[in-house]
Amino acid sequence: KQCYDRRVREAVVSTQSTGVGCAYGDEEVTTVAKCLTDGADGLVSADCEDGTNAVCIGPVFDATAEDGESAQARGCSAAVDDTTCPEATCASCDTDECNVAVAASFECDAYEVVDGAFAAATDKKTCFKVVGEHGSCKTPGSEADAENADHVAAFGAAGVCGACAEEAVTANLCASVSSAVSFGAVLMPLVALLYTLF
């Protein structure tokens, strides 16, 4: 069964058979039996009580947050609106345990200046992307200047997460690399090694 957040219309897929159905406009109203909550060791399922079982709520993706998600706590809730669950920081859905993780981590090379040129640092930067999508890393372009403080900051650990600005790409200051490409660069040599061994 597939339902959607009533405001942002983002798909939420659930294999649960509980609950009445999807609620749109004047259609039948859904109640939820369980929602995910934020536990010390990860997401935990919790039973919803009458009066707070209209929807599950949770965070939205936030690339600037430490863990890639807004500060909104997960849990069961009564019906929400744009005041109680603002679209910018909160999402609601109406199937059991639908308030799943919205951010996934990946790594980017951070750059430092070595002998007057950009070089990948030993420690990679942990970045976050929307679950199910590719993330992006910034890499120095051919015109990036290792003596320019702004350029150095852009490719340091604080700046490498996310895609390059269009004007920076046009000026050859920055090039974006997909997280899928970064993963492939690690995976393919491993596959080749295993092939030679077996």
Side-chain angles (χ1 to χ4, degrees), residues 28-53:
E28 191 172 30
V29 175
T30 299
T31 58
V32 291
K34 296 177 180 290
C35 291
L36 297 176
T37 60
D38 300 296
D41 297 319
L43 302 184
V44 180
S45 180
D47 294 334
C48 297
E49 299 179 357
D50 289 345
T52 60
N53 62 344

Side-chain angles (χ1 to χ4, degrees), residues 51-154:
T52 60
N53 62 344
V55 294
C56 298
I57 59 172
V60 297
F61 179 73
D62 181 356
T64 66
E66 184 177 349
D67 60 357
E69 296 185 341
S70 64
Q72 173 64 52
R74 288 180 173 83
C76 308
S77 177
V80 297
D81 55 31
D82 286 333
T83 299
T84 57
C85 185
E87 181 178 338
T89 58
C90 175
S92 66
C93 52
D94 52 17
T95 57
D96 283 356
E97 300 177 347
C98 57
N99 53 339
V100 296
V102 295
S105 64
F106 65 102
E107 291 185 330
C108 289
D109 280 322
Y111 292 84
E112 57 188 7
V113 177
V114 178
D115 295 330
F118 286 107
T122 301
D123 295 330
K124 294 180 179 291
K125 170 69 174 180
T126 299
C127 305
F128 292 91
K129 62 184 181 68
V130 176
V131 171
E133 297 184 5
H134 294 313
S136 294
C137 303
K138 299 182 184 73
T139 61
S142 59
E143 297 300 318
D145 184 357
E147 296 183 356
N148 183 306
D150 290 338
H151 294 182
V152 173

